[in-house]
Amino acid sequence: MKRTIPMGLKDKLNQRSKWFKIGTKVLWAFIFCALILVPVYVYTVSNNVFGLYGGMPSLKALENPENDLSSELISADGVSLGRYYRYNRLQASYEELSDELVTTLLSSEDHRFYQHSGIDFIGLLRAAKGVLTFNYAGGGSTITMQLAENLFKGMTETDGKLLSVPGLRQLIIKTKEWIISVQLESNFTKKEIIAMYLNTVPFGNNAFGIKSAAETYFGKATDSLNYQESAVLIGLLQGNTAFNPIINYDRSLTKRNEVLNKLHRFGNVDIIDVDSLKELPIDLSNYEVTNQNTGLATYFRSVIKGTLMSWCKENDYDLWEDGLKIYTTIDSRMQEYAEKAVVDHMSELQKRFNESWKGREPWRNEEGQVINNFLYTSFKRTPHYRKLVEKYGRESDSIKIIMNLAKPMKIFSWEGEKDTVMSPLDSIKYYKHFLHTGMMSMDPRTGHIKAWVGGINHKYFKYDHVRQGKRQPGSTFKSFVYGTAIEQGYPPCYEVVDGMVTIPVPGGTWSPPNSDGTYGTGEKMTIRQGMARSVNTITAHLMKEVKPENVVNFAKRVGIESNLEAVPSLALGVNDVSVFELVGAYGTFANLGIYTRPYFISRIEDKNGNVIATWVPETRQAISEQTAYKMLYMLKGGVEEEGGTSRGLPIDLKLDNDIGGKTGTTNNASDGWYMGVTKDLVTGIWVGGDERSIHFERWYDGQGGRTARPIWSKYMTNIYADEALGYEKGRFQTPIKGIDVVLDCSKYKTEDLSDSTVVTQPAWDPNDHQ
């Protein structure tokens, strides 16, 4: 018997069959899309078919993403001195990341990182469900996808015809990111991807990349980050401003604790330990935004920037973005000792300077009178004044009003930065009272500059007094007069009467007095004694004998590069020179007559560690070994001769040690100098006011032996005390062929080495040794 299906049931079965067929078609369509259309779509995007999607970055570009890397300045002992950057970014390798940091990153951002191949489909489904149900439970992006996004943002090949179509742009960009993710996973290890990701993310406060972030927020290297510090930094990835511990401490603390909770949730840290970590505050005691005003060798970094920029321009590099490693000759330990010596002495010297004037203005003319309109003239040389002129006009009364309008500001003091209220004119008056300094220390054999202090505080006083600044060298220039005489055959025991010397000059005569204002005592002394005591009349006598043009020639050969006038007064240092030049020139004496121009860069490497430039010393045989050694003997007179200007050096420094020293002081004591020479180091120091009219009231207080020499003493004491540096006391190196004169003046008692003596020793001809 044939069974009849009721009409209602039949309709239902037909309807189900219809939907089944539709579902089957949809399924086959989905399969077709998944197997055919999606791959075709991905292929067309990857290859930018018909220019519809815009280009994709090449694998080479992905291997070397342009991340605006900071160029780093590195000391000879491997310490970072500072960076040049538009964005403060450094590369860190995976090996430089602490285990705590890596664990924190994966727990917070991608706990299935080692289980997927760039795209986490479980995470994507979770994210899609959250969007559809309005119950957001986290994004679906993996670390690899986030890296792809970071890298892709920096690529320029994004223009395509379909990118302007509403709704398609985001789909195409996301597709490209997914493709890049797969490429990354195929060509890099998981560890490399982690490092690349952390190097490409910003952390706020001008810190780009994990290495800069660790230094900025915690003053640490990345391999030293602990769990709570790592949690703060990883939390910043969710919002550089919202979770910034500097400006939003409470929100940063909450976010840090959320990240710590994830460490426990995924079984990486015990709950008890997490709870303990959550109780800790965020320690920001070492927070410091890197800039050119902080750290070691601030003036050095600023001055050599011009040299580096010129080199980069010639060699097609960008100092600010190419991640160069610039290896310098500076020793960070010696630099620290130099800076400490400057701070210790200059802070005390400033007190003496202020007390000497007792609130009176120190800017005085040659008659000792206060210079009229000094402050106003000084203000007119400032950028602030030029901006006011541009805004209001040169004759506007508004300029004078603003000059005298008090406003809140921070000012420098030797007790630390201070908040105060001051007008621009009062600010000029305040800062003009400060004494300044320039100091450089060099290895005379290699030319390596080991320490460079260009001033007392780079934030408030930008001008460098080592290479940029030039001042009258005073008696430190006398060494070149005596050097010329030694070269012409005058022995150190040659005797001269301390008496008035008159030298004809255009328009009259030149007769320099000694520092005490007299024209000599009539005492007969050796030229070594005259140099040791810095007697002007003895120097003038030799200048008259050896001739100014020969002194200029000698000074140029040993290293002075500034313009020198061949006039008698040159004997007392009337032409401006720099600390940089003087140190190089005195280094010739300590290097057996070979001039080695001071230099500060040994090599440069690119961001991949390839050496792209090296420097070698610029040298020349300037004077003979005999002349050089005799000049060292002359310089030692400052320590050994009665009345020598270096006799006041600490006994510990002088014991079992050859020291050559020369002080220098200009007529009004606006410039105080000291040049210190040992067998391994030549160091020059200048101290003075911002302008020549600013100086101690008494010449005695401003002389180089009191203003500059103490810095050298403090510096060298610390150098010898640090055994790790390898500098030891010892004797100057003697010429290979011995010394060609008798240096013991007692041997000449039977002879008359005086003004009437005819010097028969021939002058040394440098051409014989070149």
Side-chain angles (χ1 to χ4, degrees):
M1 179 179 175
K2 189 175 180 180
R3 182 176 294 179
T4 303
I5 301 176
M7 289 297 297
L9 180 60
K10 187 176 182 179
D11 290 340
K12 288 182 180 181
L13 290 174
N14 288 335
Q15 189 174 15
R16 287 182 180 179
S17 176
K18 178 181 178 181
W19 282 111
F20 178 77
K21 292 178 181 179
I22 293 174
T24 301
K25 292 179 180 180
V26 170
L27 177 61
W28 279 109
F30 178 79
I31 293 173
F32 177 77
C33 290
L35 296 178
I36 305 298
L37 294 184
V38 171
V40 170
Y41 166 69
V42 171
Y43 174 83
T44 58
V45 172
S46 298
N47 293 277
N48 190 26
V49 174
F50 304 125
L52 296 174
Y53 309 99
M56 288 284 292
S58 65
L59 181 60
K60 182 178 179 180
L62 294 177
E63 289 175 340
N64 297 285
E66 296 298 328
N67 286 334
D68 297 334
L69 294 178
S70 311
S71 290
E72 188 172 16
L73 208 61
I74 302 171
S75 72
D77 55 321
V79 174
S80 176
L81 296 175
R83 304 189 198 101
Y84 303 102
Y85 55 83
R86 289 190 180 91
Y87 304 100
N88 184 21
R89 191 198 304 271
L90 287 174
Q91 293 280 31
S93 66
Y94 182 85
E95 288 69 29
E96 294 177 279
L97 308 176
S98 70
D99 293 339
E100 291 87 346
L101 173 63
V102 174
T103 302
T104 303
L105 171 68
L106 299 184
S107 297
S108 176
E109 300 297 306
D110 190 354
H111 68 277
R112 283 187 293 273
F113 179 70
Y114 282 101
Q115 281 75 54
H116 64 67
S117 297
I119 301 174
D120 182 6
F121 291 101
I122 297 176
L124 287 176
L125 291 174
R126 184 189 69 244
K129 178 183 176 183
V131 172
L132 293 173
T133 61
F134 301 101
N135 183 23
Y136 184 72
S141 292
T142 64
I143 286 176
T144 313
M145 292 168 65
Q146 292 178 54
L147 172 60
E149 181 181 1
N150 294 338
L151 296 179
F152 186 69
K153 282 180 180 177
M155 304 301 174
T156 58
E157 307 94 341
T158 56
D159 293 332
K161 297 175 182 177
L162 294 179
L163 286 173
S164 60
V165 178
L168 287 181
R169 179 180 181 83
Q170 191 61 30
L171 174 62
I172 293 171
I173 289 176
K174 279 298 178 184
T175 302
K176 288 185 176 185
E177 290 173 4
W178 291 342
I179 294 170
I180 294 171
S181 298
V182 174
Q183 289 179 336
L184 290 170
E185 290 278 350
S186 300
N187 291 279
F188 298 98
T189 66
K190 289 286 189 178
K191 291 180 178 180
E192 289 173 332
I193 289 172
I194 289 174
M196 289 174 69
Y197 171 70
L198 287 173
N199 285 329
T200 57
V201 288
F203 289 88
N205 294 100
N206 203 29
F208 292 79
I210 189 62
K211 199 167 187 177
S212 297
E215 291 182 2
T216 298
Y217 289 99
F218 301 113
K220 281 188 170 185
T222 50
D223 59 3
S224 300
L225 291 171
N226 56 36
Y227 277 125
Q228 68 254 31
E229 293 162 346
S230 298
V232 171
L233 296 179
I234 298 306
L236 277 167
L237 300 177
Q238 304 298 322
N240 298 160
T241 301
F243 304 117
N244 191 307
I246 304 302
I247 58 178
N248 286 313
Y249 179 86
D250 291 339
R251 294 186 69 180
S252 176
L253 187 67
T254 299
K255 174 57 69 174
R256 181 203 70 176
N257 291 344
E258 290 177 5
V259 175
L260 290 173
N261 284 335
K262 290 182 180 180
L263 282 167
H264 168 64
R265 184 190 311 165
F266 296 113
N268 294 305
V269 180
D270 185 89
I271 186 60
I272 296 176
D273 293 332
V274 166
D275 288 341
S276 297
L277 293 175
K278 288 164 63 176
E279 291 298 319
L280 297 173
I282 300 175
D283 182 5
L284 297 170
S285 59
N286 292 315
Y287 169 77
E288 184 177 27
V289 176
T290 302
N291 60 62
Q292 299 301 339
N293 294 320
T294 60
L296 285 174
T298 50
Y299 287 91
F300 172 74
R301 284 148 44 191
S302 178
V303 171
I304 73 166
K305 180 175 65 177
T307 300
L308 292 170
M309 289 180 67
S310 296
W311 181 89
C312 286
K313 184 177 181 180
E314 292 173 4
N315 294 275
D316 197 26
Y317 284 97
D318 189 328
L319 179 65
W320 313 101
E321 296 184 359
D322 283 348
L324 303 176
K325 298 286 187 182
I326 303 150
Y327 290 86
T328 73
T329 62
I330 296 289
D331 187 294
S332 68
R333 299 160 296 181
M334 298 172 72
Q335 179 69 28
E336 190 170 351
Y337 292 141
E339 292 184 9
K340 184 179 187 303
V342 164
V343 170
D344 288 349
H345 178 66
M346 292 301 294
S347 58
E348 291 301 317
L349 187 67
Q350 188 65 51
K351 291 178 183 178
R352 299 209 304 264
F353 182 79
N354 294 340
E355 289 170 1
S356 74
W357 286 105
K358 297 178 181 177
R360 295 173 294 143
E361 290 84 353
W363 36 90
R364 306 277 169 146
N365 59 25
E366 293 182 359
E367 287 73 38
Q369 300 171 332
V370 175
I371 299 173
N372 292 328
N373 296 320
F374 176 83
L375 295 178
Y376 181 71
T377 302
S378 298
F379 182 73
K380 289 175 68 175
R381 293 197 293 264
T382 65
H384 188 190
Y385 175 80
R386 290 193 290 271
K387 290 180 180 179
L388 291 176
V389 169
E390 291 177 5
K391 184 174 183 179
Y392 298 106
R394 191 172 299 277
E395 304 302 324
S396 173
D397 291 336
S398 297
I399 294 179
K400 292 184 178 180
I401 293 173
I402 294 173
M403 283 172 55
N404 291 281
L405 184 65
K407 62 179 181 178
M409 65 175 66
K410 288 184 181 292
I411 59 172
F412 167 79
S413 82
W414 281 112
E415 292 75 39
E417 227 175 28
K418 291 183 178 180
D419 291 306
T420 189
V421 176
M422 215 179 258
S423 71
L425 204 61
D426 286 337
S427 173
I428 295 286
K429 181 178 181 180
Y430 174 77
Y431 284 120
K432 286 295 181 181
H433 278 80
F434 280 93
L435 294 175
H436 300 272
T437 188
M439 174 184 180
M440 191 180 99
S441 189
M442 181 191 83
D443 182 330
R445 289 181 294 276
T446 64
H448 290 178
I449 297 172
K450 310 306 292 184
W452 179 312
V453 186
I456 58 175
N457 185 282
H458 188 262
K459 179 177 180 179
Y460 288 92
F461 306 100
K462 301 296 187 188
Y463 193 70
D464 171 72
H465 293 285
V466 169
R467 194 176 184 184
Q468 291 179 330
K470 293 186 178 183
R471 298 289 281 263
Q472 290 184 347
S475 294
T476 59
F477 195 86
K478 290 178 180 177
S479 295
F480 309 127
V481 179
Y482 286 95
T484 305
I486 292 291
E487 188 174 75
Q488 290 187 8
Y490 291 79
C493 295
Y494 182 79
E495 292 184 332
V496 176
V497 174
D498 175 19
M500 178 181 286
V501 176
T502 301
I503 303 176
V505 295
T509 59
W510 180 68
S511 299
N514 289 324
S515 60
D516 60 2
T518 68
Y519 287 89
T521 61
E523 176 188 355
K524 182 181 286 188
M525 65 181 71
T526 67
I527 61 174
R528 186 180 194 242
Q529 291 171 328
M531 180 173 165
R533 301 176 192 175
S534 203
V535 181
N536 290 346
T537 56
I538 304 296
T539 312
H541 175 91
L542 286 179
M543 176 62 97
K544 186 177 182 179
E545 294 294 316
V546 303
K547 309 304 180 188
E549 56 271 20
N550 292 324
V551 173
V552 170
N553 177 272
F554 183 92
K556 291 288 186 179
R557 273 190 281 129
V558 297
I560 299 300
E561 299 173 345
S562 294
N563 181 57
L564 300 176
E565 297 177 90
V567 295
S569 58
L570 180 64
L572 306 185
V574 295
N575 290 138
D576 291 354
V577 299
S578 67
V579 173
F580 183 92
E581 293 172 87
L582 274 182
V583 171
Y586 272 68
T588 303
F589 302 143
N591 193 28
L592 297 175
I594 299 173
Y595 170 69
T596 302
R597 194 172 194 276
Y599 75 107
F600 38 74
I601 302 174
S602 57
R603 73 182 189 276
I604 297 179
E605 296 179 359
D606 65 16
K607 64 183 178 182
N608 297 315
N610 301 310
V611 177
I612 55 178
T614 57
W615 274 257
V616 294
E618 176 187 325
T619 64
R620 64 173 179 267
Q621 187 75 47
I623 56 178
S624 71
E625 290 185 8
Q626 295 292 332
T627 300
Y629 184 79
K630 280 180 257 186
M631 277 309 300
L632 290 177
Y633 178 72
M634 294 283 287
L635 287 167
K636 282 170 58 181
V639 177
E640 298 173 348
E641 296 283 356
E642 188 66 33
T645 58
S646 293
R647 296 276 286 185
L649 290 174
I651 294 176
D652 287 347
L653 278 180
K654 296 186 288 185
L655 188 64
D656 299 323
N657 199 23
D658 276 355
I659 295 175
K662 188 71 195 77
T663 57
T665 314
T666 51
N667 284 342
N668 61 1
S670 62
D671 304 281
W673 294 79
Y674 191 73
M675 301 300 300
V677 183
T678 64
K679 67 183 181 66
D680 298 314
L681 289 173
V682 176
T683 304
I685 300 158
W686 166 86
V687 173
D690 189 41
E691 300 188 36
R692 300 172 202 266
S693 60
I694 301 172
H695 48 78
F696 275 95
E697 187 171 20
R698 297 191 308 160
W699 185 91
Y700 173 81
D701 294 323
Q703 62 182 304
R706 293 175 62 82
T707 61
R709 191 183 70 194
I711 295 176
W712 188 85
S713 297
K714 292 174 183 291
Y715 170 67
M716 288 305 299
T717 297
N718 283 324
I719 293 297
Y720 286 131
D722 190 342
E723 295 181 359
L725 290 174
Y727 289 99
E728 298 178 349
K729 298 177 181 179
R731 304 303 174 192
F732 289 127
Q733 183 179 351
T734 56
I736 297 173
K737 296 181 180 179
I739 305 167
D740 61 6
V741 297
V742 177
L743 297 178
D744 183 356
C745 295
S746 64
K747 302 292 185 181
Y748 292 100
K749 287 183 178 179
T750 59
E751 302 178 28
D752 183 17
L753 287 175
S754 63
D755 293 2
S756 61
T757 301
V758 176
V759 181
T760 58
Q761 182 178 337
W764 178 72
D765 183 358
N767 294 319
D768 293 341
H769 297 263
Q770 291 182 345

